[in-house]
Amino acid sequence: MARWSAQKRAEARARILEAARAEFEAEGFEGAKMRRIAAEAGLAVGTLFNYFPDKRALLYGALYEDLEGVKSGCVASMPGAEEGLEALLVHTAGYFFDYYAQRPALSRTLLKESLWAGGQDAEVFRAQVRQLGHALVGRMEAMQGLGLLDAQASPHVVGMAFFSHYYFVLMLLSEEGFDPARGRQLVGMMARQLVLGVGVKRDSV
């Protein structure tokens, strides 16, 4: 493999990851076999292990590469600050829900494995979440500048509330079949409640 060009190595890695996604989707993590993945990718098993030392590394490689692409697309297409908080949060959650709906079985594995990953794998996932969070906070700060979000609100806290809602809805969707429309509806309801607040407003004395 050392004699392969960088392009050929990249192409082989892409074939491995696509074969792995299909295998994990069909068989789940426990049932997936490295030998079948290698065969589907058109490679020897030994070559596969040169790219990924074990099945878990391959799972994370496939999932996190997918999530990186979804995250980048989501941030690039975020609605402008003038469209408001609900539009921002529904867009963000819905963008990921659409991905999960494409591969529901793989997405259940993603939900389970990414939340409890450790070591370097966990840091990759957390870095992706942080980058998405920074983009959300930036939009919310712009909303405050436009007077569309209470100046006293903390964009960071609103962001944490959103992620709490997002993962709650994601767990519901994993049981219901990953219906993106249902996910958007639920996140929209929660976003509206965030905007409205729950405290009783009292006139100052």
Side-chain angles (χ1 to χ4, degrees), residues 3 59 84 94 109 141 163 175:
R3 294 190 297 272
L59 171 68
T109 301
E141 289 174 343
F163 279 112
E175 299 172 356

Side-chain angles (χ1 to χ4, degrees), residues 38-104:
E40 183 63 27
L43 299 169
V45 176
T47 302
L48 172 59
F49 282 110
N50 284 330
Y51 285 88
F52 298 96
D54 54 40
K55 188 166 64 172
R56 188 166 298 277
L58 180 52
L59 171 68
Y60 287 138
L63 295 180
Y64 294 160
E65 182 169 288
D66 270 6
L67 284 180
E68 183 63 30
V70 176
K71 180 209 71 181
S72 297
C74 177
V75 171
S77 59
M78 275 181 176
E82 68 280 358
E83 296 188 44
L85 184 63
E86 182 179 345
L88 174 67
L89 301 187
V90 169
H91 164 83
T92 301
Y95 208 96
F96 283 86
F97 293 157
D98 284 340
Y99 163 72
Y100 299 135
Q102 294 171 17
R103 298 180 187 268

Side-chain angles (χ1 to χ4, degrees), residues 4-184:
W4 286 12
S5 67
Q7 180 179 351
K8 190 173 182 180
R9 290 195 298 272
E11 290 171 352
R13 187 177 188 277
R15 292 200 308 274
I16 290 169
L17 292 177
E18 189 53 37
R21 293 181 186 103
E23 178 76 1
F24 289 132
E25 175 69 19
E27 306 295 338
F29 177 71
E30 297 301 331
K33 301 297 182 185
M34 296 289 273
R35 186 173 299 278
R36 283 199 297 261
I37 293 170
E40 183 63 27
L43 299 169
V45 176
T47 302
L48 172 59
F49 282 110
N50 284 330
Y51 285 88
F52 298 96
D54 54 40
K55 188 166 64 172
R56 188 166 298 277
L58 180 52
L59 171 68
Y60 287 138
L63 295 180
Y64 294 160
E65 182 169 288
D66 270 6
L67 284 180
E68 183 63 30
V70 176
K71 180 209 71 181
S72 297
C74 177
V75 171
S77 59
M78 275 181 176
E82 68 280 358
E83 296 188 44
L85 184 63
E86 182 179 345
L88 174 67
L89 301 187
V90 169
H91 164 83
T92 301
Y95 208 96
F96 283 86
F97 293 157
D98 284 340
Y99 163 72
Y100 299 135
Q102 294 171 17
R103 298 180 187 268
L106 181 61
S107 298
R108 291 185 182 93
T109 301
L110 166 66
L111 180 59
K112 175 183 175 182
E113 297 295 334
S114 62
L115 290 178
W116 307 114
Q120 182 60 34
D121 295 314
E123 182 51 36
V124 171
F125 177 67
R126 289 167 188 159
Q128 291 174 332
V129 173
R130 284 196 299 269
Q131 290 160 7
L132 181 59
H134 289 327
L136 288 170
V137 167
R139 280 292 196 279
M140 286 187 277
E141 289 174 343
M143 289 176 197
Q144 286 179 318
L146 294 173
L148 298 176
L149 194 64
D150 192 327
Q152 300 302 311
S154 166
H156 291 278
V157 174
V158 175
M160 287 190 289
F162 164 70
F163 279 112
S164 298
H165 297 162
Y166 165 79
Y167 281 114
F168 174 73
V169 172
L170 184 56
M171 286 188 288
L172 291 179
L173 293 184
S174 71
E175 299 172 356
E176 299 174 359
F178 288 101
D179 179 359
R182 174 65 171 160
R184 287 185 174 88

